[in-house]
Amino acid sequence: MSRARGGSGRVVRLGPRSALVLAFASLAGLMMFVWPLLVRVEPQSMQHGPDAPFVFVAILPVLILIVLAELSEGGMDAKALALLGVLSAVNAALRPLGAGVAGIETVFFLLVLAGRVFGAGFGFVLGCTSLFASALLTAGVGPWLPFQMLSSAWIGMGAGLLPRRVTGKAEIAMLVGYGIVVAYLFGFLMNLWFWPFITGAEVDYHDGHISYVPGAPVLDNLRRFAVFTLLTSTAGWDTGRAITNTAAILVLGPAVLATLRRAARRASHGLLPTFGDAGPASARSARPRRGADAPTCARTGNGMARTVNDRTANARQHEVGQPIRGQRSNYQGDS
Amino acid sequence: MRATYFLPRDLHPAAWWLWALGLAVAASRTTNPWLLLTIIAVAGYVVAARRGAAPWALAFRMYLYLAGCIVCLRVFFRLVFGGAEGTTILLRLPEIPLPAWAAGIRLFGAVSAESLLGGLYDGLRLAAVVVCLGAANALANPKRLLKAMPPALYEMGTAVVVALSVFPQLAESVLRVRRARKLRGGANHRRLRALHAIVIPVLEDALDRSLRLAASMDSRGYGRAALVRPRQRVATGVLMVLGLIGVCVGGYATLDGSTPRLLAGPVLVLGVVVGLLGFHLAGRRVQRTRYRPDRWRPPEVVVVLSGVGVAVTLFATSTVDPTNLNPSLLTLSWPALSWPPLVGVLLGVLPAWLSPPPAPPHAGAGHDAEEVSA
Amino acid sequence: MIELRQVTFWYHGQPEPVLSDVNLSIGEGELVLVAGRTGAGKSTLLGTVNGLVPHFTGGHLDGAVAVAGVLTRSRPPREFAHLVGVVGQDPLAGFVTDTVEEELAYGMEQLGLPPQVMRRRVEETLDLLGIADLRRRALRGLSGGQQQRVAIGSVLTTHPRVLVLDEPTSALDPTAAEDVLATLARLVQDLGTTVLMAEHRMERVVPFADRVVYVAGGGRVVDGSPSAMLRDMPVAPPIVELGRLAGWEPLPLSVRDARRLAAGLRADLGAPPPRPVPTGETLLTSSDVVVRYGATVAVRGVDLDLHAGTVLALMGRNGSGKSSLLWALQGSGPRQGGTVRVGGVDPGQRSSAQARTLVGLVPQTASDLLYLETVADECAAADAESGAATGTCRTLLDRLAPGIDPARHPRDLSEGQRLALVLAVQLAAAPRVVLLDEPTRGLDYTAKHALAGMIRTLTGEGRAVVVATHDVEFVAAVADRVVVMAEGEVVSDGPTAEVLGGSPAFAPQVAKVLGADWLTVEDVRTALAEVAR
């Protein structure tokens, strides 16, 4: 278990505190997505129903700000950041290559694969930055943006939380399954928060059968919503997205995973440098990797930095600190 | 001061956003079509008067199309799914009953004028909000907006800056690889296979680039942190977690009308405030300065005040005369319009004259900008 | 200023150290040239100076590296930003922002300098590098030379005491390279910063270098005065090789020095060897080729014939239409007018799979063609694409660059090996005409030598080869015929000696010393051997 966690938290560290913040923010965020189903209004406090969506639209960006601040507070080194920026740009650049029906699908495919390789924390942040950068490039900033950002962040994070041990064909199958699920889930969530806005909720003179009724039983609203989403988007957009996800992961998945893993290996994320003594004699004797040690080092395995460090015999030589903490905190003593 | 007031320059992006949000909030308060059309006209006029030649400025048209679509969609929904409320039946379409699982839902049927008008008013309101956001997107320079990121989001801001500057290079790289594909006889392959041959080289290119970029950033001092005491880090974490718990509780209470009202509004606000405090504290660790930051000068204040003014007048007048802001649909009548809200909305057009014109485009910059949008 | 004491460095998983027991002491204000083959460890040596090695790259470092008395092991590279400025090969890859002014300010923002200081230093740096008129331009729209000058400026704004430059001109064309080197030369005189620089155009740097550090490979590093070091370094500019051949003392380090010494040699040499211009059958004829992109005309009615067994060099500044012409000849690029015939067939009219059996093109960024995970996979795919027998591509590759491990990732190959792989992939379709677009970019002397060998193999098999390049020395060594383009038109066309020797811009170093008839050191060597006999 600790091996798996170590591997997934490699690029953007996800400590217990970050995980806690992330969990609460996700809970609050989820509430803001599914509020139409949760609203229970007393007849006399009817005015709170209509206000809720606007309050939530204002609060959701704040939630995202806090989570992102927490994730980068734990320390994000230049490598992770450059990777983040460049992959966000790739997501934006690959959009025109999509099937042409709906723009967003290719973003998900790379998001899922990157989340899988670089871990949950990175997936979460990549989901946010990809959508944000893409919105800036297309001048598409609006109240929908925080919702898009948060749901794609969840998609990236979820991909990072999938079981690590699965490899090979099973891994691709798992990712394809995940891709299909998130394609529909994304459409569902995005429809849900916007549903009352588009069909009209708070207007008392109208009682359409697919529109939202504040305070109605959950199941009733859910059924109305299901019909709405089925009629408007499930057949077209969501299924299109699911098909693109499936096809892209099946065809490109293995190669892209290999490419990303190679990049992770080359960037040696999480591998801390080691130092020997200045004296030539001790340098020879403390030299850790020759012969039998070499294969161990070639493998960029989880917890490997620890292995190397432990083998660098003398503890007093570890000026750079213990391998598990983020880099930033290691140097605080010096700065 | 007076001499420099109207010198051409780009206004602080946040000023435009606050102005546009003021208009949007105002639009969300009313369903009066005259007021909504005035708001759309005001936003459109200011955009026409004060936008630059950058690509994001050209996106305003897309928002107008989007707004049109929203109005049509809203009316269309009323047409298809039950538009029978009201007495003035305009036309009768054949009714199509849906299967049992969707009990209670019918398609088409009688369509009433009240129902269609209701759809039109609602749609117009949403459309006005969308147009206001479009105006903000068109007027505010997104790159300057990134420069104004709060310190706690310094890393994220940098990542997005990197994404924006790498994007055009990658778009080029996609075109290049696509062209090179032909040299290997790529046209014969199935589409997905060809996609493979494009995506992989582009991705490899991008990942190589990220490593070189990281080395460059590292050696140029990126991420030099201030000394953060452990106690401060703990405080940051505690504030953030407490704030989020507050938001969770407050949010739930807002939705559930049966919980005490004290848990709703106050706790929600408290949670947000505490969370933002933690956010602010998290920004303390970042120790860097900004080159030529956007400053708040009188024009920015004027722009913001005009936007806020619009929102405030509509809130004020709605308590005085709600019928004017939300015309009744129970009896069909021509929507009335009274002066106070109209004057209030017209406040929003002031920035068209009381803000400096945008800086002229620089040689080369325009060319670059076009490619970004392509 | 910079102190390396008994430095030994291993990358993770490498059994042999890249640097082994290196001792180096560089004083304040010195300019040190770092030389060595690609892959010998130059970049690693330079990386140790600000701690990127090992903090960024990972690995194990023995010994101590100190800059201005600060040990790199004690701090991460970012804490050296105010001490050491680093400029890499590809300026565009290192840019964080997207306009000139912001890029110049980026480093200072990280150091937290006050806004007034930043503003002043940006203005000073703009003037210092002569880029004031570019201040608001987008970095991407600048020429390579301008970009590299901005990159240098962006590290100078933090007023570093050491400047580390890792092959700053290797990705640039000669004009841009001259531009950057001239700027650097002036900076060194004006600022008195300590400079550590790897550069393969040694002849441009050696005249004002105080010291040369030679990274010999196998971890060995030797240093000494320029003339002493150049005497027996395996990598040397043609001028030094000529000096060694003629036994000149002291060894000339610039064309001017050499010319003063050359009178005797010129008298010894006698008549230059005849350069036969082979005239094989005509494989490709083209006439009146026009390529336009909207209103911009890239190629303006060019006639060109290619003959079997000959190498044609296509020269001219960037944007003169070289690449557009090559793409049009191959058939994949746009062509708005004129005719191209290869064996009576127009490749532009054929499918791209057929066109590549007629004409093979290796584009400027050769790696764009590679998308699989191993060399073996690429070769197999190439065989399948070309309908060639299994193993064709691999055989070709072994002939061009023997001994490449089939299991390696194509991206991990050296620049020269990757070029050979792409060439082999293209040759698998058995085209008789081969076009190479800028193949020498980023190659060092050794790799260029290998490339010249590959090209000779191709012509030996009766193919026609076109090389679009800026590299005068390379052209002098391989080409039979040279075509110079400007603004989409052919401005000169003739045998190599005629076109290169007479032109002040294109003359190779040997021609500058000995006169227009002598193009390469090899020519002189054969002539001397002739005389001796």
Side-chain angles (χ1 to χ4, degrees), chain A residues 17 31 40 65 73 81 86 139-141 143 197-198 200 202-203 205 209 231 252 262 266 332, chain B residues 63 74 81 104 122 125 133 137 153 155 196 204 206 208 210 222 227 233 248 252 255-257 329:
Chain A
R17 180 180 129 187
M31 205 146 62
R40 269 199 297 277
L65 291 187
E73 201 271 346
L81 192 125
V86 166
V141 182
F197 291 93
I198 192 73
E202 57 277 25
V203 199
Y205 47 79
H209 297 291
L231 285 171
L252 298 174
R262 204 175 77 86
R266 280 203 318 151
Q332 277 161 8
Chain B
Y63 280 86
R74 224 29 201 269
F81 309 104
D122 274 358
R125 178 168 63 171
L133 293 169
N137 274 305
L153 286 186
E155 281 92 352
H196 185 171
E204 291 274 7
D208 280 354
S210 89
Y222 157 80
L227 188 65
R233 290 196 67 220
C248 284
Y252 185 79
L255 293 173
D256 188 353
L329 283 164

Short mmCIF file of all heavy atoms in Angstrom, two decimals, chain A residues 17 31 40 65 73 81 86 139-141 143 197-198 200 202-203 205 209 231 252 262 266 332, chain B residues 63 74 81 104 122 125 133 137 153 155 196 204 206 208 210 222 227 233 248 252 255-257 329:
data_model
loop_
_atom_site.label_atom_id
_atom_site.label_comp_id
_atom_site.label_asym_id
_atom_site.label_seq_id
_atom_site.Cartn_x
_atom_site.Cartn_y
_atom_site.Cartn_z
N ARG A 17 -2.44 15.89 4.96
CA ARG A 17 -3.12 17.17 5.13
C ARG A 17 -3.76 17.60 3.81
O ARG A 17 -4.92 18.01 3.76
CB ARG A 17 -2.10 18.20 5.59
CG ARG A 17 -2.70 19.55 5.79
CD ARG A 17 -1.64 20.52 6.24
NE ARG A 17 -1.69 21.71 5.40
CZ ARG A 17 -0.79 22.66 5.46
NH1 ARG A 17 0.24 22.56 6.28
NH2 ARG A 17 -0.90 23.72 4.69
N MET A 31 -21.48 18.99 -3.54
CA MET A 31 -22.76 19.53 -3.11
C MET A 31 -23.20 20.63 -4.10
O MET A 31 -24.39 20.78 -4.38
CB MET A 31 -22.58 20.14 -1.74
CG MET A 31 -23.83 20.19 -0.95
SD MET A 31 -23.45 19.95 0.77
CE MET A 31 -22.43 21.33 1.12
N ARG A 40 -34.12 21.07 0.00
CA ARG A 40 -35.36 20.77 0.73
C ARG A 40 -35.83 22.09 1.30
O ARG A 40 -35.20 22.61 2.22
CB ARG A 40 -35.11 19.77 1.84
CG ARG A 40 -35.31 18.34 1.38
CD ARG A 40 -35.52 17.44 2.57
NE ARG A 40 -34.35 17.40 3.42
CZ ARG A 40 -33.30 16.61 3.17
NH1 ARG A 40 -33.29 15.83 2.12
NH2 ARG A 40 -32.28 16.61 3.97
N LEU A 65 -9.56 27.56 -5.50
CA LEU A 65 -8.37 28.33 -5.11
C LEU A 65 -7.71 27.71 -3.90
O LEU A 65 -6.50 27.51 -3.85
CB LEU A 65 -8.76 29.78 -4.77
CG LEU A 65 -9.23 30.69 -5.88
CD1 LEU A 65 -9.39 32.11 -5.36
CD2 LEU A 65 -8.23 30.67 -7.02
N GLU A 73 1.28 24.37 -1.90
CA GLU A 73 1.95 24.73 -0.66
C GLU A 73 2.85 23.59 -0.21
O GLU A 73 3.92 23.81 0.31
CB GLU A 73 0.90 25.03 0.42
CG GLU A 73 1.39 25.87 1.58
CD GLU A 73 1.98 25.05 2.69
OE1 GLU A 73 1.76 23.82 2.68
OE2 GLU A 73 2.66 25.62 3.55
N LEU A 81 6.14 21.41 -12.38
CA LEU A 81 5.44 22.58 -12.90
C LEU A 81 5.57 22.69 -14.41
O LEU A 81 4.59 22.95 -15.11
CB LEU A 81 6.02 23.81 -12.22
CG LEU A 81 5.17 25.01 -12.49
CD1 LEU A 81 4.79 25.64 -11.18
CD2 LEU A 81 5.90 25.95 -13.35
N VAL A 86 3.27 22.16 -19.78
CA VAL A 86 3.39 21.63 -21.13
C VAL A 86 2.26 20.65 -21.44
O VAL A 86 1.67 20.69 -22.52
CB VAL A 86 4.78 20.96 -21.29
CG1 VAL A 86 4.82 20.13 -22.53
CG2 VAL A 86 5.85 22.03 -21.36
N ALA A 139 -10.94 32.41 -24.84
CA ALA A 139 -11.74 33.45 -24.19
C ALA A 139 -13.05 32.87 -23.69
O ALA A 139 -14.12 33.42 -23.93
CB ALA A 139 -11.98 34.63 -25.12
N GLY A 140 -12.97 31.73 -23.01
CA GLY A 140 -14.18 31.07 -22.54
C GLY A 140 -14.29 31.07 -21.03
O GLY A 140 -14.69 30.08 -20.43
N VAL A 141 -13.90 32.18 -20.40
CA VAL A 141 -13.99 32.24 -18.95
C VAL A 141 -15.41 32.62 -18.55
O VAL A 141 -15.97 33.56 -19.09
CB VAL A 141 -13.00 33.28 -18.39
CG1 VAL A 141 -13.06 33.31 -16.88
CG2 VAL A 141 -11.60 32.97 -18.86
N PRO A 143 -18.88 31.45 -15.47
CA PRO A 143 -19.22 30.70 -14.27
C PRO A 143 -19.17 29.20 -14.48
O PRO A 143 -19.06 28.44 -13.53
CB PRO A 143 -20.66 31.16 -13.96
CG PRO A 143 -21.16 31.78 -15.20
CD PRO A 143 -19.98 32.29 -15.95
N PHE A 197 -30.86 26.25 -14.59
CA PHE A 197 -30.69 27.50 -15.32
C PHE A 197 -31.29 27.40 -16.72
O PHE A 197 -31.90 28.33 -17.21
CB PHE A 197 -29.21 27.86 -15.44
CG PHE A 197 -28.59 28.25 -14.15
CD1 PHE A 197 -27.94 27.31 -13.37
CD2 PHE A 197 -28.64 29.55 -13.70
CE1 PHE A 197 -27.37 27.66 -12.17
CE2 PHE A 197 -28.06 29.92 -12.51
CZ PHE A 197 -27.42 28.97 -11.74
N ILE A 198 -31.08 26.25 -17.34
CA ILE A 198 -31.48 26.17 -18.75
C ILE A 198 -32.97 25.88 -18.89
O ILE A 198 -33.62 26.34 -19.82
CB ILE A 198 -30.62 25.13 -19.52
CG1 ILE A 198 -30.84 25.27 -21.03
CG2 ILE A 198 -30.89 23.72 -19.11
CD1 ILE A 198 -30.19 26.47 -21.65
N GLY A 200 -35.22 26.53 -16.45
CA GLY A 200 -35.99 27.48 -15.67
C GLY A 200 -36.55 26.84 -14.42
O GLY A 200 -37.37 25.94 -14.50
N GLU A 202 -36.89 28.67 -10.99
CA GLU A 202 -37.51 29.48 -9.96
C GLU A 202 -38.77 30.21 -10.43
O GLU A 202 -39.32 31.01 -9.73
CB GLU A 202 -36.47 30.49 -9.43
CG GLU A 202 -35.86 31.40 -10.48
CD GLU A 202 -34.70 30.76 -11.22
OE1 GLU A 202 -34.66 29.52 -11.29
OE2 GLU A 202 -33.87 31.48 -11.75
N VAL A 203 -39.16 29.94 -11.68
CA VAL A 203 -40.32 30.67 -12.18
C VAL A 203 -41.58 29.87 -11.83
O VAL A 203 -41.75 28.75 -12.26
CB VAL A 203 -40.21 30.86 -13.70
CG1 VAL A 203 -41.11 31.97 -14.15
CG2 VAL A 203 -38.78 31.14 -14.07
N TYR A 205 -44.68 30.23 -12.57
CA TYR A 205 -45.80 30.07 -13.49
C TYR A 205 -45.57 28.95 -14.49
O TYR A 205 -46.38 28.67 -15.33
CB TYR A 205 -46.08 31.37 -14.24
CG TYR A 205 -44.85 32.02 -14.81
CD1 TYR A 205 -44.29 31.53 -15.99
CD2 TYR A 205 -44.24 33.08 -14.16
CE1 TYR A 205 -43.16 32.10 -16.48
CE2 TYR A 205 -43.10 33.65 -14.67
CZ TYR A 205 -42.56 33.17 -15.83
OH TYR A 205 -41.43 33.72 -16.32
N HIS A 209 -42.19 19.47 -17.64
CA HIS A 209 -41.96 18.16 -17.05
C HIS A 209 -40.49 17.78 -17.01
O HIS A 209 -40.14 16.78 -16.44
CB HIS A 209 -42.75 17.11 -17.80
CG HIS A 209 -44.21 17.36 -17.70
ND1 HIS A 209 -44.90 17.20 -16.52
CD2 HIS A 209 -45.10 17.81 -18.61
CE1 HIS A 209 -46.17 17.53 -16.72
NE2 HIS A 209 -46.31 17.91 -17.97
N LEU A 231 -32.49 13.27 -23.06
CA LEU A 231 -32.99 13.89 -24.28
C LEU A 231 -31.99 14.85 -24.88
O LEU A 231 -31.89 15.00 -26.09
CB LEU A 231 -34.28 14.64 -23.98
CG LEU A 231 -35.51 13.78 -23.77
CD1 LEU A 231 -36.67 14.62 -23.28
CD2 LEU A 231 -35.88 13.07 -25.06
N LEU A 252 -4.15 4.67 -28.70
CA LEU A 252 -2.97 5.44 -28.31
C LEU A 252 -2.48 5.09 -26.92
O LEU A 252 -1.34 5.36 -26.58
CB LEU A 252 -3.29 6.93 -28.37
CG LEU A 252 -3.68 7.48 -29.73
CD1 LEU A 252 -4.10 8.93 -29.60
CD2 LEU A 252 -2.51 7.38 -30.68
N ARG A 262 8.34 6.91 -19.72
CA ARG A 262 9.74 7.17 -20.06
C ARG A 262 10.13 8.57 -19.60
O ARG A 262 11.21 8.79 -19.06
CB ARG A 262 9.92 7.06 -21.58
CG ARG A 262 11.32 6.73 -22.01
CD ARG A 262 11.36 6.53 -23.51
NE ARG A 262 11.33 7.79 -24.22
CZ ARG A 262 12.41 8.50 -24.48
NH1 ARG A 262 13.58 8.07 -24.11
NH2 ARG A 262 12.32 9.64 -25.12
N ARG A 266 13.00 9.61 -17.06
CA ARG A 266 14.11 10.50 -17.41
C ARG A 266 14.18 11.70 -16.49
O ARG A 266 15.25 12.21 -16.19
CB ARG A 266 13.97 10.95 -18.86
CG ARG A 266 14.46 9.92 -19.84
CD ARG A 266 14.82 10.55 -21.14
NE ARG A 266 13.84 11.56 -21.52
CZ ARG A 266 14.13 12.62 -22.25
NH1 ARG A 266 15.36 12.80 -22.65
NH2 ARG A 266 13.21 13.48 -22.59
N GLN A 332 14.74 24.72 3.52
CA GLN A 332 14.34 25.89 4.28
C GLN A 332 15.38 26.30 5.29
O GLN A 332 15.54 27.47 5.58
CB GLN A 332 13.00 25.63 4.95
CG GLN A 332 11.87 25.89 3.98
CD GLN A 332 10.59 25.25 4.40
OE1 GLN A 332 10.49 24.73 5.49
NE2 GLN A 332 9.61 25.28 3.53
N TYR B 63 -19.85 34.95 -28.18
CA TYR B 63 -20.76 35.05 -27.04
C TYR B 63 -22.14 35.54 -27.49
O TYR B 63 -23.15 35.12 -26.96
CB TYR B 63 -20.18 35.98 -25.98
CG TYR B 63 -19.15 35.29 -25.13
CD1 TYR B 63 -17.82 35.24 -25.53
CD2 TYR B 63 -19.50 34.67 -23.95
CE1 TYR B 63 -16.88 34.58 -24.78
CE2 TYR B 63 -18.57 34.02 -23.18
CZ TYR B 63 -17.26 33.98 -23.60
OH TYR B 63 -16.33 33.32 -22.85
N ARG B 74 -34.27 27.95 -25.09
CA ARG B 74 -35.24 28.11 -24.01
C ARG B 74 -36.68 28.09 -24.56
O ARG B 74 -37.56 27.42 -24.04
CB ARG B 74 -34.94 29.43 -23.35
CG ARG B 74 -34.92 29.58 -21.88
CD ARG B 74 -34.55 28.44 -21.06
NE ARG B 74 -35.07 28.68 -19.72
CZ ARG B 74 -34.38 29.29 -18.77
NH1 ARG B 74 -33.16 29.65 -18.97
NH2 ARG B 74 -34.92 29.50 -17.60
N PHE B 81 -41.62 20.56 -24.62
CA PHE B 81 -42.04 19.94 -23.36
C PHE B 81 -43.06 20.83 -22.68
O PHE B 81 -42.69 21.73 -21.95
CB PHE B 81 -40.85 19.74 -22.43
CG PHE B 81 -39.70 19.06 -23.07
CD1 PHE B 81 -38.59 19.79 -23.45
CD2 PHE B 81 -39.73 17.70 -23.31
CE1 PHE B 81 -37.52 19.16 -24.04
CE2 PHE B 81 -38.65 17.08 -23.90
CZ PHE B 81 -37.55 17.80 -24.27
N GLY B 104 -45.60 11.04 -16.86
CA GLY B 104 -45.79 12.46 -16.55
C GLY B 104 -45.13 13.36 -17.56
O GLY B 104 -45.23 14.57 -17.46
N ASP B 122 -36.92 34.30 -19.71
CA ASP B 122 -35.86 33.57 -18.98
C ASP B 122 -34.61 33.45 -19.83
O ASP B 122 -33.48 33.65 -19.36
CB ASP B 122 -36.34 32.16 -18.63
CG ASP B 122 -37.10 32.17 -17.33
OD1 ASP B 122 -37.18 33.26 -16.74
OD2 ASP B 122 -37.59 31.10 -16.93
N ARG B 125 -32.71 36.60 -20.07
CA ARG B 125 -31.94 36.92 -18.87
C ARG B 125 -30.60 36.18 -18.88
O ARG B 125 -29.55 36.77 -18.67
CB ARG B 125 -32.74 36.54 -17.63
CG ARG B 125 -31.96 36.81 -16.36
CD ARG B 125 -32.80 36.72 -15.15
NE ARG B 125 -33.32 35.36 -14.99
CZ ARG B 125 -33.97 34.96 -13.90
NH1 ARG B 125 -34.19 35.82 -12.93
NH2 ARG B 125 -34.39 33.74 -13.79
N LEU B 133 -20.46 38.35 -19.58
CA LEU B 133 -19.21 37.60 -19.40
C LEU B 133 -18.37 37.69 -20.65
O LEU B 133 -17.14 37.80 -20.59
CB LEU B 133 -19.52 36.14 -19.09
CG LEU B 133 -20.20 35.94 -17.75
CD1 LEU B 133 -20.72 34.53 -17.64
CD2 LEU B 133 -19.22 36.23 -16.64
N ASN B 137 -14.50 38.90 -21.12
CA ASN B 137 -13.49 38.13 -21.84
C ASN B 137 -12.86 38.94 -22.95
O ASN B 137 -11.68 38.81 -23.26
CB ASN B 137 -14.10 36.87 -22.43
CG ASN B 137 -14.11 35.73 -21.43
OD1 ASN B 137 -13.09 35.38 -20.90
ND2 ASN B 137 -15.27 35.17 -21.18
N LEU B 153 -1.26 31.26 -5.34
CA LEU B 153 -1.44 30.50 -6.58
C LEU B 153 -0.30 30.73 -7.55
O LEU B 153 -0.44 30.50 -8.74
CB LEU B 153 -2.76 30.89 -7.24
CG LEU B 153 -3.99 30.35 -6.56
CD1 LEU B 153 -5.21 30.68 -7.38
CD2 LEU B 153 -3.88 28.85 -6.37
N GLU B 155 2.45 29.14 -8.19
CA GLU B 155 2.86 27.97 -9.00
C GLU B 155 1.86 27.70 -10.11
O GLU B 155 2.22 27.46 -11.25
CB GLU B 155 2.99 26.72 -8.12
CG GLU B 155 4.27 26.64 -7.32
CD GLU B 155 4.11 27.25 -5.95
OE1 GLU B 155 3.06 27.86 -5.69
OE2 GLU B 155 5.06 27.12 -5.14
N HIS B 196 -1.93 8.24 -34.06
CA HIS B 196 -0.82 7.70 -33.28
C HIS B 196 0.49 8.36 -33.70
O HIS B 196 1.25 8.85 -32.90
CB HIS B 196 -0.78 6.19 -33.52
CG HIS B 196 0.25 5.49 -32.70
ND1 HIS B 196 0.33 4.13 -32.64
CD2 HIS B 196 1.23 5.95 -31.93
CE1 HIS B 196 1.31 3.79 -31.84
NE2 HIS B 196 1.88 4.88 -31.40
N GLU B 204 6.29 13.57 -27.29
CA GLU B 204 7.72 13.43 -26.98
C GLU B 204 8.39 14.80 -27.00
O GLU B 204 9.16 15.14 -26.10
CB GLU B 204 8.40 12.53 -28.02
CG GLU B 204 8.00 11.07 -27.95
CD GLU B 204 8.83 10.30 -26.95
OE1 GLU B 204 9.61 10.95 -26.22
OE2 GLU B 204 8.70 9.07 -26.87
N ALA B 206 6.98 17.65 -26.53
CA ALA B 206 6.50 18.45 -25.41
C ALA B 206 7.20 18.04 -24.12
O ALA B 206 7.58 18.88 -23.32
CB ALA B 206 5.00 18.28 -25.27
N ASP B 208 10.16 16.54 -23.77
CA ASP B 208 11.55 17.00 -23.82
C ASP B 208 11.62 18.46 -23.43
O ASP B 208 12.47 18.89 -22.65
CB ASP B 208 12.10 16.86 -25.25
CG ASP B 208 12.52 15.45 -25.55
OD1 ASP B 208 12.48 14.63 -24.63
OD2 ASP B 208 12.87 15.18 -26.72
N SER B 210 9.58 20.16 -21.69
CA SER B 210 9.27 20.45 -20.29
C SER B 210 10.50 20.25 -19.42
O SER B 210 10.73 20.99 -18.48
CB SER B 210 8.11 19.59 -19.80
OG SER B 210 8.56 18.36 -19.29
N TYR B 222 13.51 30.01 -9.99
CA TYR B 222 12.09 29.75 -9.74
C TYR B 222 11.92 29.03 -8.40
O TYR B 222 12.68 28.11 -8.09
CB TYR B 222 11.50 28.88 -10.86
CG TYR B 222 10.28 28.13 -10.40
CD1 TYR B 222 9.07 28.77 -10.34
CD2 TYR B 222 10.37 26.82 -9.97
CE1 TYR B 222 7.95 28.12 -9.87
CE2 TYR B 222 9.25 26.15 -9.50
CZ TYR B 222 8.05 26.81 -9.45
OH TYR B 222 6.95 26.17 -8.97
N LEU B 227 11.37 31.96 4.22
CA LEU B 227 11.46 31.04 5.35
C LEU B 227 10.07 30.89 5.96
O LEU B 227 9.44 31.87 6.34
CB LEU B 227 12.44 31.61 6.37
CG LEU B 227 12.79 30.68 7.52
CD1 LEU B 227 13.54 29.48 6.99
CD2 LEU B 227 13.61 31.42 8.54
N ARG B 233 2.87 27.01 8.94
CA ARG B 233 2.32 26.00 8.03
C ARG B 233 1.13 25.30 8.68
O ARG B 233 0.12 25.04 8.05
CB ARG B 233 3.39 24.98 7.67
CG ARG B 233 4.49 25.55 6.78
CD ARG B 233 5.28 24.44 6.15
NE ARG B 233 4.48 23.69 5.21
CZ ARG B 233 4.54 22.38 5.07
NH1 ARG B 233 5.35 21.67 5.81
NH2 ARG B 233 3.78 21.76 4.20
N CYS B 248 -18.86 23.26 3.88
CA CYS B 248 -19.67 22.04 3.74
C CYS B 248 -20.96 22.17 4.55
O CYS B 248 -22.06 21.95 4.03
CB CYS B 248 -18.90 20.82 4.24
SG CYS B 248 -17.64 20.27 3.09
N TYR B 252 -24.76 22.78 3.05
CA TYR B 252 -25.83 21.82 3.26
C TYR B 252 -27.04 22.50 3.90
O TYR B 252 -28.18 22.28 3.49
CB TYR B 252 -25.34 20.66 4.13
CG TYR B 252 -26.39 19.60 4.28
CD1 TYR B 252 -26.58 18.69 3.24
CD2 TYR B 252 -27.20 19.51 5.40
CE1 TYR B 252 -27.56 17.72 3.32
CE2 TYR B 252 -28.18 18.56 5.50
CZ TYR B 252 -28.36 17.66 4.46
OH TYR B 252 -29.33 16.71 4.54
N LEU B 255 -29.19 24.41 1.61
CA LEU B 255 -30.06 23.61 0.76
C LEU B 255 -31.21 23.01 1.55
O LEU B 255 -32.32 22.87 1.04
CB LEU B 255 -29.25 22.50 0.09
CG LEU B 255 -28.23 23.00 -0.91
CD1 LEU B 255 -27.37 21.86 -1.39
CD2 LEU B 255 -28.92 23.67 -2.08
N ASP B 256 -30.93 22.61 2.78
CA ASP B 256 -31.95 21.95 3.57
C ASP B 256 -32.68 23.00 4.40
O ASP B 256 -32.17 23.49 5.41
CB ASP B 256 -31.28 20.91 4.49
CG ASP B 256 -32.33 20.08 5.20
OD1 ASP B 256 -33.53 20.41 5.06
OD2 ASP B 256 -31.94 19.12 5.87
N GLY B 257 -33.88 23.33 3.99
CA GLY B 257 -34.63 24.39 4.64
C GLY B 257 -35.02 24.08 6.08
O GLY B 257 -35.39 24.96 6.84
N LEU B 329 -46.81 37.39 -15.95
CA LEU B 329 -47.19 36.58 -17.09
C LEU B 329 -48.58 36.01 -16.91
O LEU B 329 -49.09 35.28 -17.75
CB LEU B 329 -46.19 35.45 -17.28
CG LEU B 329 -44.87 35.88 -17.92
CD1 LEU B 329 -43.82 34.83 -17.73
CD2 LEU B 329 -45.07 36.18 -19.40
#
